[in-house]
Amino acid sequence: MARHSVALHPINYAVWYECVSGRSGELKAEIERLTADGRALTEADVTRLFKKFVAPVGLETSERVAESARRILQGMEQSALEATDRTSAFDQSLSQWQAELDREARDSTALQEVVDSTRQMTDAVRQLQSRLDVSQKEIAQLRAEVAAVRSEAQSDSLTGLHNRRSFEQHVAKFLADRQSAMSLVLVDIDHFKLVNDTHGHLFGDQVLMAVARVLRESLRIDDIAARIGGEEFALLLPSTPLKGAVELAERIRTAIAGSRIRRRNSEQQVGQITVSLGVADLWPTDNGESWFTRADEALYTSKREGRNRVTAPSLQHR
């Protein structure tokens, strides 16, 4: 990256990481072709390479790239901090030596030359210290940008909850764990199309954000809330058996049914908003699809039986 004088930002890190890791032979071959005549890659080249070879690889690669970038930047930041400490200590020592030499060199031409050289070294060290300070700030900014890109890749832009891809990642982690009781709750806003058709999509967005807020405030720190469709949400609940998940779902249903949403810039209340919920705990024989299917079937039972209710599969059907 230094040879090509590319900027240190997440897209460039992604392209060069995929190249040097050997994961994309096509990307490496394309870079070698573009640089065969000795020219450096431009920002436009790197952006095109990113869109063609890196962007399609999906969230898993994005996560890997972001994690690698974080490790690199953390190491760079630590090195800069250590260098800062050392140059600061060296600067202090040089200043002390310079003061001593000043006292001894008043009548000695040779010592005066040493003093002059020491003073030059002191100036150089202070310039290095200044550059290190700037580098530390740039590294901290890069780390923040990498974290922001990762967060955006996992978040629903409207509600701030996890998005569907992040939800699927967490399901995979839950299935790999299986060390404690776990439950899944699906939540669907009742008659949401009618809400949009009657009151407009801006008000529909208000409803989605209000429901997301209730979900977020109802969960523990280890629970996961995601928006997985237009008006559909999912809750992943570790260390929560079926009974506890049903009780939580009922509290959420009651909280949403009891709330009243007002139009923005107006005191006008718009009818009751309700949700239907389906609950399924994780069975030993489950995979991700079967677990989700049982929760989805429970959700649609709630819809068929009148909405604004919680349904869970009977324990006797295990």
Side-chain angles (χ1 to χ4, degrees), residues 90-91 94-95 98 101 112-128:
F90 187 42
D91 182 30
L94 284 174
S95 296
Q98 182 178 326
L101 286 169
Q112 186 60 52
E113 291 177 357
V114 173
V115 170
D116 293 340
S117 297
T118 303
R119 185 176 290 109
Q120 292 172 8
M121 179 64 74
T122 301
D123 292 340
V125 168
R126 286 174 180 168
Q127 291 176 12
L128 174 59

Side-chain angles (χ1 to χ4, degrees), residues 110-290:
L111 279 178
Q112 186 60 52
E113 291 177 357
V114 173
V115 170
D116 293 340
S117 297
T118 303
R119 185 176 290 109
Q120 292 172 8
M121 179 64 74
T122 301
D123 292 340
V125 168
R126 286 174 180 168
Q127 291 176 12
L128 174 59
Q129 176 80 52
S130 178
R131 289 197 296 270
L132 285 170
D133 290 341
V134 172
S135 296
Q136 282 182 256
K137 292 179 182 178
E138 291 176 348
I139 291 168
Q141 182 179 352
L142 283 170
R143 291 184 68 188
E145 289 175 0
V146 169
V149 169
R150 179 174 180 268
S151 177
E152 289 173 5
Q154 293 183 319
S155 299
D156 173 64
S157 59
L158 177 64
T159 64
L161 302 181
H162 292 268
N163 60 23
R164 175 132 198 163
R165 289 193 297 179
S166 179
F167 163 76
E168 291 172 349
Q169 271 199 321
H170 281 92
V171 167
K173 291 177 183 177
F174 276 35
L175 293 173
D177 184 4
R178 293 181 186 262
Q179 294 181 4
S180 59
M182 293 180 278
S183 294
L184 168 64
V185 180
L186 297 184
V187 184
D188 192 88
I189 301 174
D190 296 327
H191 303 297
F192 187 69
K193 183 177 184 302
L194 180 61
V195 171
N196 274 334
D197 292 344
T198 304
H199 304 289
H201 290 279
L202 289 179
F203 180 75
D205 287 348
Q206 279 186 257
V207 172
L208 290 168
M209 289 186 288
V211 169
R213 184 166 55 252
V214 172
L215 298 180
R216 190 182 297 109
E217 292 173 352
S218 301
L219 301 184
R220 303 164 304 180
I221 191 170
D222 293 331
D223 298 334
I224 301 296
R227 183 185 176 200
I228 60 173
E231 68 269 25
E232 189 169 3
F233 301 83
L235 309 177
L236 289 169
L237 310 175
S239 305
T240 307
L242 183 62
K243 182 175 182 293
V246 170
E247 291 173 352
L248 172 64
E250 184 60 34
R251 289 197 299 273
I252 290 171
R253 184 201 65 78
T254 302
I256 294 173
S259 63
R260 294 294 180 270
I261 301 176
R262 301 176 185 273
R263 287 183 178 277
R264 280 181 179 168
N265 304 319
S266 170
E267 291 302 311
Q268 179 188 0
Q269 286 188 353
V270 178
Q272 184 184 38
I273 301 298
T274 64
V275 293
S276 298
L277 303 97
V279 186
D281 59 341
L282 182 65
W283 295 355
T285 55
D286 271 332
N287 56 30
E289 182 179 358
S290 62

